[in-house]
Amino acid sequence: MASASLQEAVSVLKSTNVRMTPQRHAILEFLHSSMSHPTADDIYKSLEERFPNMSVATVYNNLRVFKDAGIVKELTYGDSSSRFDCITSDHYHVICNDCGKIVDFHYPGLDEVETLAEHVTGFEIEDHRLEIYGTCPACTKMSKQ
Amino acid sequence: MASASLQEAVSVLKSTNVRMTPQRHAILEFLHSSMSHPTADDIYKSLEERFPNMSVATVYNNLRVFKDAGIVKELTYGDSSSRFDCITSDHYHVICNDCGKIVDFHYPGLDEVETLAEHVTGFEIEDHRLEIYGTCPACTKMSKQ
DNA sequence: AGAATAGATTATAAGAATTACAAACAAAGA
DNA sequence: TCTTTGTTTGTAATTCTTATAATCTATTCT
């Protein structure tokens, strides 16, 4: 399920008769290289040079394909546009309320939460999502000046 | 910070020169009475009878006022429109991937997560958000038939 | 190889949620 | 009462995302 490398992601796709196109490869590549959890538009803009004719629809289409294949995750915060992230390992995000900066945060799984939720609610739990909000060091410094 | 009752919410607002209007009262009332985490449009529609002239903009404006005052929380899931929730106590949400049903789930605070995140990232942590996803009993039953 | 088929991309239009803005309104204070 | 501040309303504008149809590309089958 977790696809650590770009190659893994590609082979996951191959196994579900999804063709590997240059655009798809570029989007995946960008997602893997980027540490910044980009929006669809970020991706579109950053590939504009290499693919002058690429449509925004292609970005959205493929992000959905990747999501369905389980190699990419969609993150919805308050700020209107979704952000996308390769699924690599179990980590959470710490988000700055001021500047929006996102920092990865590793934390031993919250499996017990899922187990408990299953017992209490009767749901079949599949996943969970945890985010932590605060002020990043830079913004804290700024506000104290 | 936590406003358990409608009255508390009202007095929090009074203390920050925010006027209490009939529309605002109705929105708060609805949020408190509703267990369903409504969207802005849900709120708008449900108050249509009592306030035939109310504008959608009013709903959005006031939800933001409430958010800024810290008595209402915005929840963004994948599905385009935000949902709103009174801040009452520390509980989390279990969400059905099939039908979207949301069930409250009480869980002893994840304070340690915040503490750890503070140490690791240098952020000043203020808040966190946890959601749990799965399939509710009804949908599970359906899919097994 | 050539034809048929399935899948992908592109461009554009449409849709939905949210925000911006200006005008009209209401309340509080001097 | 007059002024000021804050609120609502209605509408237009913006933004993100999806739908659609046409074109293009790759794969498969004969």
Side-chain angles (χ1 to χ4, degrees), chain A residues 1-32 65-66 69-72 86-87:
Chain A
M1 180 61 75
S3 70
S5 74
L6 179 55
Q7 289 198 347
E8 262 186 82
V10 172
S11 69
V12 167
L13 288 176
K14 277 219 172 114
S15 71
T16 59
N17 60 340
V18 170
R19 291 181 192 159
M20 186 48 51
T21 67
Q23 292 92 332
R24 283 184 178 159
H25 197 89
I27 294 172
L28 279 179
E29 213 171 22
F30 181 76
L31 275 173
H32 271 271
V65 169
F66 299 157
I71 61 177
V72 160
C86 289
I87 295 175

Side-chain angles (χ1 to χ4, degrees), chain A residues 43-95:
Chain A
I43 299 171
Y44 175 65
K45 288 224 169 66
S46 74
L47 298 180
E48 218 164 27
E49 264 186 64
R50 276 172 68 194
F51 299 88
N53 298 328
M54 187 170 66
S55 160
V56 206
T58 302
V59 176
Y60 279 102
N61 285 342
N62 290 328
L63 286 171
R64 181 165 32 184
V65 169
F66 299 157
K67 246 174 59 187
D68 292 348
I71 61 177
V72 160
K73 178 167 53 171
E74 182 174 358
L75 311 166
T76 59
Y77 305 116
D79 60 344
S80 69
S81 46
S82 291
R83 292 158 172 283
F84 297 87
D85 204 10
C86 289
I87 295 175
T88 50
S89 66
D90 268 349
H91 71 267
Y92 303 108
H93 292 131
V94 185
I95 300 149

Side-chain angles (χ1 to χ4, degrees), chain A residues 130-143:
Chain A
L130 168 69
E131 273 124 34
I132 302 156
Y133 295 90
T135 313
C136 75
C139 289
T140 305
K141 215 171 178 179
M142 288 282 291
S143 70

Side-chain angles (χ1 to χ4, degrees), chain B:
Chain B
M1 178 64 70
S3 71
S5 74
L6 179 54
Q7 289 197 346
E8 262 185 81
V10 172
S11 68
V12 166
L13 287 178
K14 277 219 172 115
S15 71
T16 60
N17 59 343
V18 170
R19 292 180 191 158
M20 186 50 50
T21 66
Q23 291 92 333
R24 283 185 179 158
H25 197 87
I27 295 172
L28 279 179
E29 212 170 24
F30 181 74
L31 275 173
H32 271 272
S33 72
S34 153
M35 296 283 93
S36 61
H37 316 289
T39 64
D41 200 56
D42 291 340
I43 299 171
Y44 175 64
K45 288 223 170 65
S46 74
L47 299 181
E48 218 164 25
E49 263 186 65
R50 275 173 68 196
F51 298 88
N53 297 329
M54 188 170 64
S55 161
V56 205
T58 300
V59 176
Y60 279 102
N61 286 343
N62 289 329
L63 285 171
R64 183 165 30 184
V65 169
F66 299 157
K67 246 174 59 188
D68 292 347
I71 60 178
V72 159
K73 180 166 53 171
E74 182 175 0
L75 310 166
T76 60
Y77 306 114
D79 60 343
S80 71
S81 47
S82 292
R83 291 159 172 283
F84 296 86
D85 205 10
C86 288
I87 295 176
T88 50
S89 67
D90 268 349
H91 71 268
Y92 303 108
H93 293 131
V94 185
I95 300 149
C96 179
N97 283 325
D98 280 19
C99 66
K101 186 180 177 189
I102 301 177
V103 173
D104 290 345
F105 170 61
H106 290 268
Y107 186 76
L110 257 38
D111 296 339
E112 46 162 324
V113 184
E114 295 198 1
T115 313
L116 184 57
E118 242 169 37
H119 283 274
V120 174
T121 65
F123 275 53
E124 284 193 2
I125 304 300
E126 289 154 21
D127 200 9
H128 70 264
R129 165 180 168 170
L130 169 68
E131 272 125 33
I132 302 157
Y133 296 91
T135 312
C136 76
C139 290
T140 304
K141 214 171 179 180
M142 287 283 291
S143 71
K144 276 183 180 158
Q145 277 174 353

